[in-house]
Amino acid sequence: MRYKTMIGLEIHVELMTKTKIFCGCPNDFGGDVNTHCCPVCLGLPGALPVLNKSAVEYAIKAGLAFNSQIATRTRMDRKNYFYPDLVKGYQISQDEIPLCSGGYVEIEKEDGPKKIRLMRIHIEEDTGKSIHTEEADTLLDYNRGGVPLIEIVTYPDMNTPEEARLFLEKLRATLKYIEVSDCKMEEGSLRCDININVIDTQTNTRTNITELKNLNSFKAAVKAMEYEEKRHIALLEAGKNTEGETRRWDEVKNETIVMREKGGVADYRYAPDFDIAPIVIEEEWIDEIRNSLPELPHDKKERFIREYGLPEYDAGVLTQSKELADFYEETNKYAKDPKQVSNWIMGDVLRRLKDEELEIEDLKFGPKDLAHLLELINSGKISNNIGKKVLREMFETGGKPEKIVKERGLIQISDEGELESIVKKVLSENQQSIIDYKNGKDRALGYLIGQVMKATKGKANPQLVNKMVREMIEE
Amino acid sequence: MVSKEDVKYIAELCKLKFSEEELEEFTAEFCRIIGFVELLKEVDTEGVEATYHVSPKIQPLREDKVEPSLSREKVLQNAPEEQYGYFKLPRIMD
Ligand SMILES: [Zn+2]
């Protein structure tokens, strides 16, 4: 590979604390405009910020889940810049001494696991939200101002957009597992900035880093990275370079667009925030938080392999999100064959969810219903294929499988007497296939069985049909 | 030391604009301040841990309990202009 892509990410995640990071205002998404504000989060003179214990705890949780080092002494710094969504003219953030340093996220690639290293995780306050109106005004809502954030910064360890996607999926799954954030990109509780450039390994020239911002889904992020990767390589091939600018993804044009030309390096003049005294984190507290962590995706995956005898791949897929893993385990409580449950969830269920861009939580049926469907198949009441048909209906109506089978008359025909006349009719109408079969063309048998299945609208027991067709031809 | 260009740059970061006269004046003042700090460099700090914060206190952490916010009326009391409950400003783009 001549060209090597390097991708680093900066991810902002809103923490699900009850209150904001420095004041007791509620931390809720939505809410009437400018009703979750107080002198502290409005930056009024004389107001004193006091750090929220839960915000620190959640950030430590994240750090521990990603194998970071937790600082025992840290501080908050002021990041100075002017923008009206920032009430004080500075954001309270962390510069030199982040709460968490180092760590990594392990992604599962097809050719094995890979560790993506983290530089740091620090805590900071979110800004307000601005809306630009048609009348050329800017409207500001400060409900979000002061919501606790963690900023997670990676090393440029990802070499393909796919690796970056896997990283983001794993990061989101873990943060949801440990319940520090709901990570809803569409609500802005997870926001991702991407730094990307390409090295020509033959000439050792590299493009300037492009920063990608305002990506509202993982899909958009992947598309933007793929687009940039191609753009950078094309420029290298033409002996040119990128501008080192900030770009955004345009969903309509399907391309990245310059947002901001290359400016001087931002100079935020960080300085310690004297409103907030040094933060001391006791080792015992860190241990306490470590002990309270729930089972993480990796551990859950190992347990699924052990407990349910699943292949590593299945276990990896099923533990991608806590909700999916819970759905799988719940289904198993009512089903007999863990591998069969896995096949159905990983196959038809996940495929359908993916097609419709839904999550497992959006299903209209529950784990118990899926288990009952499998039971109908295993007891021979319906065939596997009819089972898939029933599942499709469960997706749409959320109906109970027993009821769908009964109402649609889908019960499998396993009665030889009932099938005999149909098989006879199919054979008499397809003499050529019988000859073909006798001449060694095995495909002809499949065709005949297919015709019988078709005649019974898929309700015939396929094993029985197979046996009957063979026997009748031999006669 | 501090040059006139440095002062200009710092002024820009603060969205301030100075006349040529003022620039001269501030440059001289900045030089005096920096010069004073230079004095501190003469102190032997061998083996002294870096001061990462000047406060001798430890930050108390607040319990995560909701407290009443201000009414919107109060929130917007100092707004230069308001619309639909928002603070209204002339258009500002990044
Ligand atoms: Zn507040």
Side-chain angles (χ1 to χ4, degrees):
Chain A
M1 280 279 270
R2 176 163 178 179
Y3 298 106
K4 191 176 164 197
T5 304
M6 308 222 290
I7 299 167
L9 304 175
E10 278 170 34
I11 301 113
H12 286 91
V13 178
E14 283 181 353
L15 301 176
M16 294 194 287
T17 51
K18 292 188 192 76
T19 65
K20 293 186 178 182
I21 186 166
F22 298 120
C23 63
C25 289
N27 169 20
D28 285 333
F29 182 74
D32 280 346
V33 172
N34 287 318
T35 55
H36 297 168
C37 307
C38 73
V40 173
C41 57
L42 287 171
L44 300 186
L48 190 67
V50 185
L51 188 56
N52 181 342
K53 188 177 174 187
S54 292
V56 179
E57 183 186 325
Y58 286 15
I60 294 174
K61 261 189 179 179
L64 292 172
F66 297 131
N67 320 290
S68 307
Q69 195 63 41
I70 313 299
T72 49
R73 283 176 79 86
T74 180
R75 71 170 188 223
M76 302 306 297
D77 297 291
R78 292 182 180 183
K79 179 180 177 178
N80 298 280
Y81 66 94
F82 289 107
Y83 203 70
D85 59 11
L86 195 63
V87 287
K88 301 183 290 297
Y90 59 85
Q91 179 190 28
I92 306 179
S93 180
Q94 294 194 290
D95 180 33
E96 253 177 71
I97 313 162
L99 182 55
C100 318
S101 337
Y104 61 88
V105 173
E106 195 169 274
I107 57 169
E108 315 276 345
K109 294 182 31 162
E110 269 169 34
D111 57 353
K114 177 176 175 177
K115 277 183 182 154
I116 309 296
R117 290 169 304 148
L118 301 184
M119 231 176 254
R120 57 189 285 156
I121 303 174
H122 71 248
I123 48 175
E124 60 184 27
E125 57 179 343
D126 208 346
T127 60
K129 240 182 196 164
S130 44
I131 303 169
H132 305 293
T133 68
E134 300 270 324
E135 290 85 35
D137 296 315
T138 294
L139 300 180
L140 282 144
D141 173 13
Y142 291 112
N143 281 353
R144 199 183 67 180
V147 163
L149 288 180
I150 47 174
E151 180 178 330
I152 303 166
V153 185
T154 78
Y155 283 94
D157 283 353
M158 289 149 279
N159 298 115
T160 61
E162 174 62 9
E163 284 184 11
R165 189 188 63 82
L166 289 170
F167 171 85
L168 286 168
E169 297 278 2
K170 186 68 173 280
L171 184 91
R172 176 168 65 180
T174 307
L175 292 171
K176 284 172 82 171
Y177 262 83
I178 60 174
E179 294 174 333
V180 300
S181 176
D182 57 12
C183 295
K184 287 185 183 161
M185 247 180 145
E186 65 282 9
E187 289 182 6
S189 56
L190 187 149
R191 307 194 283 270
C192 165
D193 296 337
I194 300 168
N195 288 311
I196 181 167
N197 71 334
V198 175
I199 302 174
D200 180 341
T201 52
Q202 276 177 21
T203 61
N204 221 6
T205 45
R206 57 180 71 200
T207 51
N208 293 316
I209 294 170
T210 299
E211 192 183 7
L212 295 168
K213 276 184 175 273
N214 288 8
L215 301 153
N216 53 20
S217 67
F218 286 177
K219 222 180 193 176
V222 169
K223 280 193 201 159
M225 283 185 275
E226 285 170 350
Y227 182 89
E228 278 304 302
E229 194 174 39
K230 283 196 197 102
R231 195 176 69 87
H232 281 236
I233 291 171
L235 283 167
L236 277 177
E237 279 173 345
K240 292 181 190 158
N241 202 338
T242 47
E243 293 295 331
E245 69 234 333
T246 303
R247 291 177 160 247
R248 65 175 176 84
W249 178 245
D250 189 309
E251 205 65 64
V252 183
K253 290 186 183 150
N254 248 317
E255 59 183 44
T256 62
I257 287 176
V258 180
M259 267 175 83
R260 207 179 303 143
E261 306 277 331
K262 179 188 179 180
V265 180
D267 187 342
Y268 294 120
R269 291 152 296 144
Y270 282 100
D273 190 305
F274 299 113
D275 285 340
I276 296 157
I279 302 157
V280 174
I281 317 273
E282 303 288 348
E283 290 282 358
E284 296 90 76
W285 194 30
I286 300 174
D287 287 338
E288 216 176 279
I289 297 170
R290 187 181 282 117
N291 293 332
S292 76
L293 281 178
E295 189 181 33
L296 295 172
H298 185 76
D299 300 325
K300 204 181 273 279
K301 182 183 150 191
E302 297 294 315
R303 180 169 64 79
F304 274 25
I305 295 171
R306 240 181 14 249
E307 211 167 287
Y308 301 111
L310 291 179
E312 190 172 351
Y313 180 75
D314 291 38
V317 172
L318 293 170
T319 52
Q320 267 167 8
S321 81
K322 187 170 179 292
E323 289 77 9
L324 182 61
D326 288 349
F327 191 95
Y328 174 74
E329 291 207 273
E330 195 61 22
T331 309
N332 260 329
K333 278 190 194 160
Y334 306 100
K336 291 195 186 76
D337 180 357
K339 177 60 182 152
Q340 186 193 24
V341 175
S342 162
N343 289 347
W344 276 75
I345 292 180
M346 296 210 320
D348 288 75
V349 175
L350 284 187
R351 198 173 313 125
R352 178 75 181 251
L353 288 173
K354 200 179 166 194
D355 285 348
E356 301 193 13
E357 292 183 29
L358 294 173
E359 301 290 334
I360 194 94
E361 305 93 284
D362 303 321
L363 281 181
K364 287 185 183 145
F365 59 89
K368 215 172 176 172
D369 300 321
L370 179 62
H372 285 164
L373 175 66
L374 299 184
E375 177 53 30
L376 287 170
I377 295 167
N378 295 341
S379 64
K381 287 214 175 74
I382 58 173
S383 69
N384 212 55
N385 275 337
I386 292 286
K388 292 188 177 197
K389 217 168 167 179
V390 174
L391 186 69
R392 280 201 288 277
E393 187 151 343
M394 288 160 69
F395 263 111
E396 272 139 35
T397 63
K400 302 279 168 212
E402 301 87 342
K403 208 171 152 229
I404 295 169
V405 167
K406 217 181 243 168
E407 281 176 3
R408 299 256 176 281
L410 296 173
I411 296 212
Q412 180 159 273
I413 309 170
S414 295
D415 177 26
E416 270 193 54
E418 207 174 320
L419 288 175
E420 199 178 317
S421 60
I422 300 168
V423 175
K424 268 190 183 147
K425 187 161 173 275
V426 166
L427 291 184
S428 70
E429 284 167 0
N430 293 285
Q431 291 298 329
Q432 186 55 45
S433 297
I434 296 172
I435 297 166
D436 288 349
Y437 176 65
K438 285 184 172 160
N439 287 335
K441 282 192 190 160
D442 285 343
R443 263 199 334 196
L445 182 70
Y447 174 75
L448 290 167
I449 293 167
Q451 290 304 305
V452 177
M453 294 308 290
K454 206 171 154 192
T456 59
K457 296 199 175 75
K459 286 189 290 180
N461 179 333
Q463 282 86 35
L464 187 58
V465 173
N466 188 311
K467 179 178 145 261
M468 287 173 72
V469 171
R470 277 171 194 277
E471 280 174 5
M472 282 192 210
I473 293 176
E474 301 302 328
E475 272 170 20
Chain B
M1 286 313 260
V2 183
S3 71
K4 220 159 81 180
E5 286 312 306
D6 292 332
V7 177
K8 234 181 181 166
Y9 171 68
I10 293 162
E12 266 164 32
L13 286 174
C14 303
K15 311 281 182 207
L16 294 171
K17 209 169 179 173
F18 294 130
S19 66
E20 201 54 31
E21 239 167 70
E22 283 168 320
L23 279 178
E24 299 277 356
E25 201 182 314
F26 282 123
T27 307
E29 254 179 60
F30 277 27
C31 280
R32 272 203 300 282
I33 295 164
I34 298 287
F36 172 68
V37 176
E38 287 289 310
L39 265 180
L40 292 175
K41 282 193 184 165
E42 288 168 21
V43 181
D44 180 12
T45 54
E46 189 66 33
V48 178
E49 210 188 317
T51 304
Y52 67 97
H53 207 298
V54 293
S55 170
K57 294 194 207 104
I58 290 172
Q59 171 68 27
L61 298 179
R62 181 175 57 81
E63 287 305 319
D64 190 16
K65 271 214 315 259
V66 175
E67 274 162 54
S69 302
L70 295 174
S71 67
R72 188 196 281 157
E73 203 184 10
K74 277 263 165 72
V75 170
L76 293 171
Q77 200 179 321
N78 298 317
E81 244 187 295
E82 59 171 287
Q83 192 173 30
Y84 321 122
Y86 291 86
F87 288 78
K88 184 175 161 186
L89 299 166
R91 178 157 218 158
I92 293 147
M93 290 294 263
D94 208 353

